[in-house]
């Protein structure tokens, strides 16, 4: 083969390789574009000045602006007034190579309504690794927030003290009824040892440890020690709660104040004992179950 033919074949081979890589890049581009457009999350990009450079279909639905309306405009169009400073804060963190994931905040729809969102944000770099823009994935969590607020209102509406406890025995959340029965502010309760608020700390510790071991307890008797010195007798019903993968996160416990019930029982007992007549209770099997003096 002549040198000319060899050179020609080499050029053709190189050309085929370049064409093959180009086609692969084109296919990858269209695959990426398809993924972005079919995403259930809003995906957008912007330059470091906050000018929108791309805007997917989900972003159009979430914020009410078409791509034609918003591309080339400031991202501040979807920022509530009280969140305008966030862009500068986000940009500063990205320049320091800090990761921003699941950052919960608020954004604004075209009609002015507020949307609760979770943001995951990353840098866009050029071939020299210089940051030239910002990419955002935005998830609408308004429904989750509303559900959470509704659940919280139910918890706070309960007259019974409710508490969640970590595997380490630390209080992670309480309702207002718990604050009242202990006499301790919520900010002090959270993070403290659950067992610290009972006349018998070891029994309290044994109770929640049993829940982690067995999954639940019912009518577990304890006495809460109020900060004023008052003692409140309670019965706890508790169970473990888990994440969506089945991992145990902690214990949810509800206390029922039985102080008045115990007083009533003691009063009834005193009447029984005050009787000069012999009194006895008998089971269906004919066994004596109780007697007075």
């Amino acid at each position: 083969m002549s040198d000319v033919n060899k050179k020609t074949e080499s050029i053709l081979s190189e050309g085929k390789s370049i064409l093959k890589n180009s086609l692969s890049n084109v296919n990858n581009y269209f695959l990426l574009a398809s993924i972005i457009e079919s995403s259930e999350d809003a995906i957008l990009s912007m330059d470091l000045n906050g000018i929108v450079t791309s805007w997917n279909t989900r972003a159009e639905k979430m914020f009410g602006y078409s791509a034609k309306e918003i591309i080339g405009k400031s991202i501040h169009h979807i920022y509530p007034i009280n969140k305008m400073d966030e862009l500068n804060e986000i940009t500063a963190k990205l320049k320091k190579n800090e990761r921003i994931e699941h950052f919960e905040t608020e954004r604004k729809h075209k009609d002015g309504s507020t949307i609760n969102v979770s943001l995951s944000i990353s840098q866009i770099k050029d071939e020299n690794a210089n940051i030239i823009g910002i990419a955002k994935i935005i998830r609408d969590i308004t429904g989750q927030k509303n559900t959470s607020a509704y659940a919280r209102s139910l918890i706070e509406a309960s007259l019974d003290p409710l508490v969640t406890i970590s595997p380490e025995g630390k209080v992670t959340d309480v309702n207002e009824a718990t604050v009242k029965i202990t006499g301790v502010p919520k900010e002090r309760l959270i993070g403290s040892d659950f067992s610290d608020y009972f006349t018998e700390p070891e029994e309290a510790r044994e109770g929640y440890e049993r829940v982690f071991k067995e999954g639940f307890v019912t009518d577990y008797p304890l006495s809460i020690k109020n900060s004023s010195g008052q003692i409140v007798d309670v019965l706890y019903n508790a169970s473990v709660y888990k994440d969506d993968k089945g991992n145990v996160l902690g214990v949810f416990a509800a206390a029922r104040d039985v102080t008045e019930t115990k007083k009533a029982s003691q009063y009834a007992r005193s009447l029984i004992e005050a009787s000069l007549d012999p009194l006895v209770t008998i089971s269906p099997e004919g066994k004596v179950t109780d007697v007075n003096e």
Side-chain angles (χ1 to χ4, degrees):
M1 183 181 291
S2 68
D3 290 341
V4 173
N5 287 339
K6 286 181 180 179
K7 189 172 183 180
T8 301
E9 186 174 316
S10 175
I11 292 171
L12 287 173
S13 177
E14 185 177 348
K16 287 179 181 178
S17 177
I18 293 172
L19 180 60
K20 184 178 179 180
N21 289 335
S22 297
L23 289 173
S24 177
N25 289 336
V26 169
N27 288 336
N28 289 338
Y29 170 80
F30 281 115
L31 175 61
L32 179 60
S34 176
I35 291 171
I36 290 173
E37 283 305 310
S38 61
S39 174
E40 288 298 309
D41 296 325
I43 301 177
L44 59 97
S45 62
M46 58 191 184
D47 65 22
L48 295 179
N49 294 316
I51 302 302
V52 179
T53 54
S54 69
W55 189 263
N56 74 342
T57 301
R58 183 58 183 167
E60 293 185 333
K61 294 178 180 178
M62 190 178 295
F63 298 108
Y65 292 98
S66 67
K68 185 177 179 180
E69 286 179 291
I70 199 73
I71 290 177
K73 305 287 180 58
S74 172
I75 193 66
H76 280 129
H77 279 74
I78 64 169
Y79 277 54
I81 294 295
N82 63 333
K83 301 293 182 181
M84 289 295 181
D85 291 336
E86 281 188 357
L87 179 58
N88 291 335
E89 295 169 4
I90 288 168
T91 303
K93 287 183 178 181
L94 292 177
K95 287 180 177 178
K96 294 178 183 177
N97 290 317
E98 294 183 23
R99 296 171 64 88
I100 301 176
E101 294 182 344
H102 310 302
F103 170 57
E104 293 189 9
T105 184
E106 295 175 345
R107 290 296 178 260
K108 184 179 67 175
H109 191 274
K110 185 180 180 180
D111 64 11
S113 60
T114 299
I115 307 168
N116 293 297
V117 296
S118 174
L119 307 178
S120 292
I121 307 170
S122 59
Q123 308 160 335
I124 300 174
K125 298 182 178 180
D126 62 16
E127 62 275 9
N128 297 316
N130 297 312
I131 302 173
I132 58 173
I134 298 170
K136 288 186 177 184
I137 299 176
I138 306 177
R139 177 160 296 179
D140 184 347
I141 58 171
T142 304
Q144 296 174 33
K145 285 282 188 180
N146 289 341
T147 300
S148 178
Y150 176 69
R152 187 74 213 180
S153 68
L154 293 179
I155 290 170
E156 291 299 340
S158 173
L159 298 178
D160 293 331
L162 306 177
V163 61
T164 55
I165 311 161
S166 74
E168 297 74 33
K170 302 293 184 182
V171 175
T172 55
D173 195 11
V174 297
N175 65 347
E176 188 59 29
T178 303
V179 172
K180 290 179 179 179
I181 202 169
T182 60
V184 179
K186 183 176 181 178
E187 57 270 19
R188 279 178 49 198
L189 284 167
I190 293 177
S192 63
D193 286 339
F194 173 74
S195 57
D196 286 349
Y197 304 100
F198 300 90
T199 57
E200 302 292 338
E202 287 302 320
E203 289 186 14
R205 189 173 296 111
E206 182 185 336
Y208 72 72
E209 288 177 349
R210 187 189 298 180
V211 180
F212 279 113
K213 184 179 179 180
E214 301 177 5
F216 69 96
V217 297
T218 56
D219 294 336
Y220 190 86
L222 289 170
S223 296
I224 293 176
K225 181 176 55 180
N226 186 277
S227 60
S228 67
Q230 180 185 4
I231 304 300
V232 183
D233 295 315
V234 295
L235 292 177
Y236 267 100
N237 290 310
S239 62
V240 294
Y241 65 95
K242 305 176 181 180
D243 63 16
D244 55 2
K245 296 179 181 178
N247 301 311
V248 174
L249 298 178
V251 165
F252 179 81
R256 175 61 53 85
D257 184 346
V258 293
T259 305
E260 294 303 320
T261 303
K262 288 191 72 172
K263 287 180 180 178
S265 177
Q266 290 168 356
Y267 177 70
R269 188 74 209 181
S270 67
L271 292 179
I272 291 171
E273 292 298 340
S275 174
L276 299 178
D277 296 326
L279 302 177
V280 62
T281 57
I282 309 164
S283 73
E285 296 76 29
K287 302 294 184 180
V288 175
T289 56
D290 194 14
V291 298
N292 67 346
E293 190 61 32

